[in-house]
Amino acid sequence: MARQLQTWHQLKPLLKLKPFEPDPTTRRLANAHTIGDLRTAARRRTPRSIFDYVDGAAEAEVSIKRARRVLRDVEFQPSVLRDVGTVDLSTQILGRRSELPYVFAPTGFTRMMQHEGEIAVARSARRFGVPYTLSTMGTTSIEDLAVAVPDARNWFGFYVWKDRAAGEDLMTRAREAGYETLVLTVDVPVGGARLRDNRNGFTIPPALTAKTVLDGALHPSWWLNFLTTDPIRFATFDSWGGTIEELAAHLFDPTVELSDLEWVREFWDGPLVVKGIQTVADAERVVGAGADAVVLSNHGGRQLDRAPVPVRLLPDVVQAVGDRAEVYVDSGFMSGADVVAGIALGARAVLLGRAYLYGLMAGGERGVDRANEILTAEIRRTLQLLGVRSIAELTPAHVTLP
């Protein structure tokens, strides 16, 4: 075939130049196609110590690496020639419809990651129809969040403190502010060894040292927002100036036992979720003591290193307590396909933490929206490729654990 140079008239229809987008946040989020992309953007925009606090885990970080490796190696079992023109992503969580099969987990110090903080996350959760859990260690008060996002499914993440009167006050405030569910975290008798934080000299709130000032020069927008918005305050306790481990040792009660669930029930008569379960036996114990749901969790690998991989526990725990309580799972979930695998293995819902924090750090409230958009598209596409028309149709037959 004879070669000839194409004319401008022939080339012009092939040129599809995108209009220039002047807003850098919009450009950044448009280029994020996975939660991993949001993580990359978050790392570029956030000071090293803050990013590492979110991204890191305990000690050698074996627990989180194992959890992600198991999810990565899950094998799906698709069925073809099924009508998947329309798929239903909704599920029932504690008797109410959730538009997606996940819950935003409690994460502390959220305004430190990005100045818009917990309210931005809760607003995005409301838009996408999923529950949001405000942490005891949050930087927005129970009442302020309830006022800012009044028609959302607000849950409260609760730690048992040494000061039981203060804990009773927190539960009472959450109930009076209309919070729907109490999530009691039970895997933090003491703080895990967060070695990245120790090496970074990380404190709550961040201290202005020579190292952080230098880091600030590389992340000016974060520091500008930090220095020109309301100071970071802790919504449920007085100010602090030390490390996470020191804070946990100061506040949390290492003597908590199963019998303390009775004390919680004295002050909380709504749905009770117990988070941090890592054995079948403990799931049976807390459900027997009155929990409405359990979360199989190793705290995102941030507490005990070399802990069990929660998703591996799912089938046995569902068999043991699934007829009496809902079973949720977290730790290592970074995609919609991960979420689908967890639901197929028996979870009623998956709790997500880092996934939305990466979005928040990458672009504030719009970044959390982008994380929700990515997860929604991935869940829908995975269901369609599996030949499944709804979350309710997922079964263990659709997945094989490595």
Side-chain angles (χ1 to χ4, degrees):
M1 178 181 295
R3 295 180 181 271
Q4 67 177 30
L5 187 63
Q6 293 190 31
T7 66
W8 169 248
H9 180 74
Q10 292 170 316
L11 289 173
K12 185 177 179 181
L14 303 179
L15 297 177
K16 304 292 183 182
L17 298 179
K18 292 182 179 179
F20 174 71
E21 172 53 64
D23 181 57
T25 300
T26 300
R27 291 200 306 269
R28 187 183 320 118
L29 296 178
N31 289 326
H33 304 288
T34 66
I35 299 299
D37 291 341
L38 290 175
R39 176 183 179 274
T40 299
R43 186 170 188 174
R44 290 172 179 160
R45 292 189 54 76
T46 311
R48 173 67 179 271
S49 61
I50 306 297
F51 177 82
D52 277 355
Y53 170 72
V54 173
D55 195 63
E59 300 186 38
E61 305 191 0
V62 173
S63 291
I64 190 62
K65 291 173 184 174
R66 284 178 176 170
R68 287 178 176 158
R69 184 167 61 246
V70 169
L71 287 165
R72 180 200 67 191
D73 291 342
V74 161
E75 183 177 280
F76 285 119
Q77 306 296 324
S79 181
V80 298
L81 297 176
R82 306 277 183 174
D83 178 359
V84 289
T86 302
V87 293
D88 182 1
L89 309 187
S90 69
T91 190
Q92 292 287 315
I93 298 177
L94 293 173
R96 291 184 58 184
R97 179 184 172 95
S98 177
E99 297 303 322
L100 295 159
Y102 58 78
V103 174
F104 277 177
T107 60
F109 322 118
T110 308
R111 283 192 59 236
M112 185 177 63
M113 290 73 164
Q114 204 270 356
H115 66 284
E116 297 176 38
E118 289 90 353
I119 289 174
V121 179
R123 285 173 174 161
S124 182
R126 177 185 61 186
R127 274 192 292 276
F128 284 82
V130 300
Y132 168 65
T133 315
L134 176 69
S135 173
T136 298
M137 314 304 286
T139 44
T140 299
S141 75
I142 291 168
E143 293 79 8
D144 285 350
L145 185 83
V147 170
V149 199
D151 53 347
R153 292 192 69 179
N154 292 328
W155 294 10
F156 183 61
F158 180 61
Y159 291 92
V160 177
W161 289 1
K162 293 175 182 177
D163 183 350
R164 294 300 179 92
E168 292 166 4
D169 179 63
L170 288 177
M171 288 186 281
T172 300
R173 287 169 56 194
R175 185 180 68 248
E176 291 178 349
Y179 283 67
E180 171 190 320
T181 297
L182 189 76
V183 180
L184 173 64
T185 298
V186 295
D187 59 353
V188 190
V190 296
R194 316 280 175 78
L195 298 185
R196 287 204 218 181
D197 296 345
N198 296 343
R199 289 165 181 148
N200 288 330
F202 178 67
T203 62
I204 302 290
L208 286 172
T209 65
K211 185 175 182 179
T212 56
V213 169
L214 178 61
D215 199 22
L218 301 174
H219 303 93
S221 62
W222 186 93
W223 278 102
L224 179 65
N225 289 325
F226 177 74
L227 296 172
T228 60
T229 56
D230 288 341
I232 291 178
R233 298 183 179 91
F234 304 103
T236 55
F237 61 96
D238 292 334
S239 62
W240 186 255
T243 67
I244 299 294
E245 287 181 65
E246 292 166 346
L247 179 60
H250 175 73
L251 287 178
F252 300 159
D253 188 350
T255 70
V256 176
E257 296 183 336
L258 185 67
S259 59
D260 289 303
L261 288 185
E262 295 179 11
W263 167 73
V264 170
R265 276 303 191 191
E266 290 178 20
F267 295 89
W268 187 264
D269 57 3
L272 175 62
V273 178
V274 177
K275 178 177 177 289
I277 300 302
Q278 298 173 72
T279 68
V280 175
D282 277 350
E284 292 177 323
R285 290 171 67 220
V286 299
V287 170
D292 299 295
V294 296
V295 185
L296 306 183
S297 170
N298 63 29
H299 214 98
R302 298 165 70 82
Q303 283 298 106
L304 176 67
D305 208 10
R306 299 176 178 82
V309 175
V311 74
R312 285 194 177 278
L313 293 170
L314 260 174
D316 290 341
V317 171
V318 170
Q319 183 176 10
V321 304
D323 59 339
R324 292 174 287 153
E326 295 184 2
V327 180
Y328 313 145
V329 66
D330 74 14
S331 303
F333 290 79
M334 287 284 286
S335 72
D338 291 344
V339 172
V340 169
I343 302 302
L345 287 164
R348 178 63 62 89
V350 170
L351 270 67
L352 301 172
R354 288 183 179 95
Y356 75 73
L357 289 180
Y358 293 140
L360 181 69
M361 292 187 289
E365 186 172 333
R366 286 185 288 167
V368 184
D369 281 348
R370 184 61 184 143
N372 273 312
E373 292 166 358
I374 289 168
L375 291 163
T376 300
E378 290 175 338
I379 292 170
R380 177 178 290 110
R381 182 171 59 247
T382 302
L383 290 182
Q384 289 174 311
L385 293 174
L386 277 173
V388 173
R389 291 171 293 185
S390 70
I391 292 294
E393 291 183 8
L394 287 168
T395 72
H398 291 109
V399 290
T400 302
L401 279 170

